[in-house]
Amino acid sequence: MSDPVNDGVPCLWMRGGTSKGAYFLRDDLPVDTAARDDLLLRIMGSPDPNQIDGIGGSDPLTSKVAILSPSSRSDADVDYLFLQVFVDRPLVSDAQGCGNILAGVGPAAIERGLVAATGDETPVRIHMLNTQEVATARIATPGGRVRYDGAASIDGVPGHHAAVPLLFENISGSMCGALLPTGNAVDVIDGVACTLIDNGMPCVILLASDMGLTGGEDRAALDGDTALKDRLEAIRLKAGPLMALGDVTDKSVPKMTLVSPPQNGGTVATRSFIPHRCHATIGVFAAVSVATACTLPDSPAALVAELPVGDAFAIEHPTGAAEVLIERAPSGAVARAGILRTARKMFDGRVFPRG
């Protein structure tokens, strides 16, 4: 490949859901994983709390990468690898997927010619390499071009944009091998009742009240509570092996999620940690895992949830709510899950890493 420092690397900078990230074609990056990760760290400006010498936004939500390539399986149109570039550590992790950045994969795949537009709406089947599952996104493509403006809105993003519905199937146990890797709806770790669950995102779900909180605390207050974060990390490190994730010291999963009674008419209120900073909203797959936990009798989430009459679960977060659609089988088990996101292209060009 050409010299990225002097020639740059083709890059789409996009908002996907409530995150922002750099979207690359696999062929534009080094084949060697270590060389690729080194390049991405230099592109984002990590490690540096301000990421001042890169395009990262000094927040985990704005230090993300999507790598796209032609699909390696017949039931999908494009392969998508998600990478979390840590802000203040020289670490790039593929230990999880990202449903927010996923929202931009369909538009990016069409923009880059990996998928052809097929009328006013183009379904894009996305093979999520992090979990080996397939999601389907429906992208507005009037006149054969991706349309980003529209009437849809999501909490955490100002304005209105074209809707990007996402449908997930067979995501149960995506990283842990089972929806409930311990076989229990409730496990007790360090004296705290937790649900260890993976319905698209490994999460440890526990009551905010068990942490001495109301659940309505703002992000800044939680990020400044070092005693709380130390306690959550101690639980997370013990949960990792129980969830078949091994030593999670240097992993971005499982996510720690505090739940409390809904405050604005939703299903349940959340404060999600990713994993060491409080999320401004909540990740797509984390929201799906939380919604699923609400259906498990006697789980911490079920104890405080107000279950909806229909299939729409409003998972409240610090800046609004994420609407998760849960379809249940006759047995009551969650069969399929979906969510509405939006995405927007913000920049298309070449990015130049520091030397």
Side-chain angles (χ1 to χ4, degrees), residues 176-257:
C176 301
L179 177 70
L180 299 172
T182 67
N184 306 316
V186 182
D187 290 283
V188 178
I189 303 177
D190 288 353
V192 178
C194 306
T195 296
L196 312 184
I197 188 169
D198 174 13
N199 199 21
M201 177 63 68
C203 291
V204 177
I205 299 173
L206 58 162
L207 291 170
S209 59
D210 283 345
M211 296 289 108
L213 303 169
T214 66
E217 290 81 4
D218 64 25
R219 188 186 187 198
L222 294 174
D223 274 342
D225 190 337
T226 55
L228 167 68
K229 292 168 73 173
D230 288 346
R231 191 177 179 194
L232 289 175
E233 182 66 0
I235 294 173
R236 194 180 80 88
L237 293 177
K238 293 177 181 177
L242 297 175
M243 300 179 75
L245 296 170
D247 182 359
V248 297
T249 302
D250 292 326
K251 295 181 180 178
S252 54
V253 289
K255 308 298 188 189
M256 304 300 293
T257 306

Side-chain angles (χ1 to χ4, degrees), residues 44-60:
M44 286 295 179
S46 299
D48 170 27
N50 295 317
Q51 292 182 317
I52 198 67
D53 203 25
I55 64 173
S58 71
D59 189 290

Side-chain angles (χ1 to χ4, degrees), residues 95-111:
Q96 65 172 82
C98 179
N100 276 304
I101 293 298
L102 173 67
V105 170
I110 297 170
E111 296 271 10

Side-chain angles (χ1 to χ4, degrees), residues 69-293:
S69 55
S71 179
S72 57
R73 50 192 284 179
S74 60
D75 60 346
D77 303 305
V78 61
D79 280 358
Y80 154 55
L81 177 67
F82 170 73
L83 297 174
Q84 179 71 62
V85 181
F86 281 55
V87 174
D88 53 2
R89 300 167 63 188
L91 181 62
V92 178
S93 174
D94 65 356
Q96 65 172 82
C98 179
N100 276 304
I101 293 298
L102 173 67
V105 170
I110 297 170
E111 296 271 10
R112 286 293 187 251
L114 293 175
V115 176
T118 57
D120 288 344
E121 184 178 85
T122 301
V124 180
R125 299 170 302 169
I126 302 164
H127 175 206
M128 300 177 288
L129 292 174
N130 303 78
T131 61
Q132 299 301 316
E133 305 296 345
V134 174
T136 299
R138 298 203 309 270
I139 309 302
T141 52
R145 296 186 60 184
V146 177
R147 180 173 182 173
Y148 295 100
D149 62 314
S153 64
I154 58 174
D155 287 335
V157 178
H160 294 78
H161 307 84
V164 180
L166 299 169
L167 180 65
F168 314 113
E169 297 189 46
N170 303 317
I171 56 173
S172 176
S174 62
M175 297 182 66
C176 301
L179 177 70
L180 299 172
T182 67
N184 306 316
V186 182
D187 290 283
V188 178
I189 303 177
D190 288 353
V192 178
C194 306
T195 296
L196 312 184
I197 188 169
D198 174 13
N199 199 21
M201 177 63 68
C203 291
V204 177
I205 299 173
L206 58 162
L207 291 170
S209 59
D210 283 345
M211 296 289 108
L213 303 169
T214 66
E217 290 81 4
D218 64 25
R219 188 186 187 198
L222 294 174
D223 274 342
D225 190 337
T226 55
L228 167 68
K229 292 168 73 173
D230 288 346
R231 191 177 179 194
L232 289 175
E233 182 66 0
I235 294 173
R236 194 180 80 88
L237 293 177
K238 293 177 181 177
L242 297 175
M243 300 179 75
L245 296 170
D247 182 359
V248 297
T249 302
D250 292 326
K251 295 181 180 178
S252 54
V253 289
K255 308 298 188 189
M256 304 300 293
T257 306
L258 305 176
V259 293
S260 57
Q263 301 172 23
N264 296 296
T267 302
V268 69
T270 64
R271 295 295 185 267
S272 180
F273 289 78
I274 54 173
H276 305 119
R277 296 176 66 176
C278 184
H279 203 306
T281 57
I282 187 172
V284 168
F285 291 118
V288 171
S289 289
V290 170
T292 304

